[in-house]
Amino acid sequence: RPDGSVDYVNPRFTEFTGRPAHEASLPGSPVLHPDDSPSVRTAWVSALAAGRAFAAEYRMRGADGSWRWFAARALPARGPEGAVRRWIGAATDVTDLIAAREALQIQVLAEANARAEAVANANLLAVSEERFRRFGSASPDVLWITEATSNRIEYVSPAFERIWGASTSVLMADPALWTRMIHPEDRQRAEQARAATPGADSTELEYRVIRGNGQERWIRDRAFPIADATGKPYARGGIARDVTEAKAAEARQRLLIGELNHRVKNTLATVHSLSLQTARGHMAAASLAPAPREAAGVAGGPLVRFVLDLQARIMALSRTHDLLTATTWQGATLRETVRSALNPWLPGRAEETSRITFGGPGAWLAPKQALGLALALHELATNAAKHGGLSVAEGRVSVRWKRRDDGAVRLCWQEIGGPAVTPPTRRGFGTRLLERGLAGELGNGATVFLDYPPTGFIARIDFMPPFDVVHDHAEQEGSAA
């Protein structure tokens, strides 16, 4: 009717809702979903007032209690005078259509989001690649990436042309150029390293390359695996650095150190010769000069003993100097320092039995510690040979060291089987060296304890080594080994 009340509805309303036909009137129908009723009321009242077409979508409750979507349309039917005489409309079940529409909207939204994400990722990738290329262009080192299995070069930075002296475009077209430019003596080693599996750990290799003009360049090349998002290696990357100047500096340093060591050795030899020649002159003047060949074994007056003692101390310094030269004066192991200092008293042939045994855990000495300890051990052995455990055939010496709980080393010198010991009444050079000088050479906290029990002299030396060196096992005792 013109006022909006329903005077006819087909049987389909009752079939669907299970409600009488008069309850079909909008907008107060009890079958209308409460959430949709306000918007339907507004649209229906507006259409009635203006006499224009009505359209709305809303849910109606079925007889089974379910809710379904309907699309309602109504048009006004006017009389000759133009007044609305009837409203003719229909409500169509569009539940499936709306579900499809919503699914399509979700799909369209998801695709739009995916496209937006793809564009964003592409932009980020472009920025990342540009950043990488700028970094590669500015880097003085060669950055490179190869395909995992074929070693096909995917990227090489411009520094390659400066260091290798060859074009990057030629290298990209002919990857074997890289290998051909490696020095023949280094080529096999470099090929083996580059043939590593994609997932291999990082490796570092040094090799030489020969440029087109014949110039050699030293390269330090560090390679590492590159994995995808799943963690599977798909390529290998690397950084190749020109270390030619560093190698040259190392060679110059070795040459200078070698020359310095040679000159120090010559200086020690000169001091040794000067002291010997000076002593011979004084002995000749005093009619005490022995023949040169006999000087090392003669027993004589104070001047002769002075010469022999000075010679022995200089030679002890020289042996320790040789030991430190082998490590470019970085230090020496405690075991090798003990062996070097006691070398004159150790057996010269394998079948001989040593009267000195030594051993203990691995420990490293700073150069100053090695020199000081070597002189001290030399003095201890010299005194033992003159008056103590090495002065009689049945005597022997034990040198043992161990780690204390605080990390310090305790070295114990013990003489066994020698003459009965009495405390000295006079402090000679060796005693003064041990009591006053050695602790200072060994560093802060070092202590030296000398004991004179009748059964044999004992010296206990405690000091802190600069740092530890890893050993596979504790050093074994022995003197001839």
Side-chain angles (χ1 to χ4, degrees):
R1 295 188 180 92
D3 64 357
S5 60
V6 175
D7 62 356
Y8 170 79
V9 65
N10 68 352
R12 180 73 179 111
F13 176 79
T14 301
E15 292 174 2
F16 174 70
T17 65
R19 311 288 291 187
H22 69 272
E23 292 185 359
S25 298
L26 293 176
S29 174
V31 298
L32 195 64
H33 196 289
D35 293 344
D36 302 334
S37 183
S39 60
V40 172
R41 177 187 295 276
T42 300
W44 182 232
V45 171
S46 177
L48 287 176
R52 63 173 181 264
F54 165 77
E57 288 183 354
Y58 50 82
R59 287 162 287 182
M60 283 198 299
R61 184 168 55 197
D64 60 358
S66 64
W67 295 93
R68 293 188 70 82
W69 280 96
F70 285 81
R73 301 290 185 271
L75 294 174
R78 302 178 185 275
E81 66 280 8
V84 176
R85 299 175 58 194
R86 286 282 190 274
W87 287 87
I88 302 173
T92 304
D93 187 337
V94 292
T95 303
D96 294 339
L97 179 62
I98 288 184
R101 184 179 65 191
E102 291 178 347
L104 180 60
Q105 289 175 342
I106 293 173
Q107 181 179 354
V108 170
L109 181 61
E111 291 179 354
N113 290 337
R115 285 195 298 272
E117 185 178 357
V119 171
N121 288 339
N123 290 335
L124 289 175
L125 181 60
V127 171
S128 177
E129 289 182 350
E130 178 64 17
R131 186 184 298 117
F132 173 77
R133 291 185 183 279
R134 285 180 178 272
F135 178 80
S137 298
S139 173
D141 302 329
V142 177
L143 311 183
W144 57 266
I145 300 175
T146 63
E147 196 271 336
T149 55
S150 65
N151 277 332
R152 180 178 62 84
I153 297 176
E154 296 183 353
Y155 172 79
V156 63
S157 67
F160 176 83
E161 297 186 354
R162 177 178 57 82
I163 298 175
W164 265 256
S167 169
T168 56
S169 59
V170 173
L171 176 67
M172 297 294 284
D174 180 18
L177 174 66
W178 187 302
T179 304
R180 292 200 302 271
M181 294 186 69
I182 297 177
H183 194 288
E185 295 179 4
D186 304 335
R187 189 173 299 159
Q188 182 178 2
R189 181 165 48 88
E191 288 178 336
Q192 291 173 348
R194 295 195 68 188
T197 57
D201 294 335
S202 298
T203 58
E204 187 169 283
L205 179 68
E206 287 188 353
Y207 54 84
R208 292 161 292 176
V209 296
I210 303 178
R211 294 162 54 100
N213 59 5
Q215 183 186 33
E216 286 187 8
R217 308 296 294 178
W218 271 100
I219 307 298
R220 180 177 295 130
D221 200 344
R222 183 173 182 82
F224 49 86
I226 301 176
D228 57 21
T230 65
K232 180 180 179 181
Y234 71 92
R236 285 186 71 79
I239 303 174
R241 172 169 296 179
D242 186 346
V243 294
T244 305
E245 297 302 324
K247 285 286 187 180
E250 290 176 4
R252 288 193 297 270
Q253 185 181 42
R254 286 194 299 269
L255 179 63
L256 291 174
I257 291 177
E259 179 64 21
L260 177 63
N261 289 330
H262 178 70
R263 293 189 180 189
V264 171
K265 289 267 305 185
N266 286 345
T267 300
L268 288 174
T270 300
V271 170
H272 180 273
S273 177
L274 287 174
S275 64
L276 181 61
Q277 295 300 325
T278 302
R280 283 176 176 168
H282 284 284
M283 287 188 294
S287 300
L288 295 175
R293 186 176 297 275
E294 300 169 355
V298 72
L303 185 58
V304 174
R305 291 195 297 273
F306 163 78
V307 172
L308 297 180
D309 288 347
L310 180 60
Q311 285 181 313
R313 286 163 184 160
I314 292 175
M315 293 307 297
L317 276 177
S318 180
R319 289 192 302 273
T320 309
H321 182 277
D322 289 341
L323 185 62
L324 292 171
T325 298
T327 65
T328 62
W329 283 80
Q330 296 181 37
T333 66
L334 177 54
R335 177 178 176 81
E336 291 303 321
T337 301
V338 173
R339 181 199 299 274
S340 173
L342 301 181
N343 185 67
W345 295 273
L346 299 179
R349 294 187 299 273
E351 62 272 15
E352 295 181 5
T353 302
S354 176
R355 297 170 63 193
I356 301 178
T357 59
F358 58 89
W364 186 260
L365 302 179
K368 185 177 181 181
Q369 290 177 321
L371 287 169
L373 188 61
L375 276 178
L377 292 173
H378 171 82
E379 295 301 323
L380 287 171
T382 299
N383 188 70
K386 290 179 179 179
H387 315 291
L390 299 181
S391 64
V392 294
E394 62 274 15
R396 62 187 188 277
V397 171
S398 170
V399 184
R400 294 284 185 272
W401 59 89
K402 64 181 180 179
R403 288 282 190 174
R404 296 190 330 199
D405 293 341
D406 60 356
V409 172
R410 169 165 291 179
L411 183 146
C412 184
W413 170 286
Q414 184 172 7
E415 299 178 16
I416 306 166
V421 175
T422 58
T425 58
R426 183 181 65 86
R427 293 290 189 267
F429 172 80
T431 304
R432 293 194 302 272
L433 173 66
L434 289 166
E435 291 181 335
R436 302 175 187 176
L438 180 58
E441 297 297 308
L442 294 178
N444 293 335
T447 60
V448 178
F449 174 76
L450 306 181
D451 192 17
Y452 301 88
T455 54
F457 170 75
I458 296 175
R460 188 171 67 243
I461 304 169
D462 291 349
F463 64 95
M464 183 69 72
F467 57 86
D468 289 336
V469 174
V470 176
H471 291 263
D472 292 335
H473 53 80
E475 295 178 352
Q476 301 299 317
E477 71 174 45
S479 55

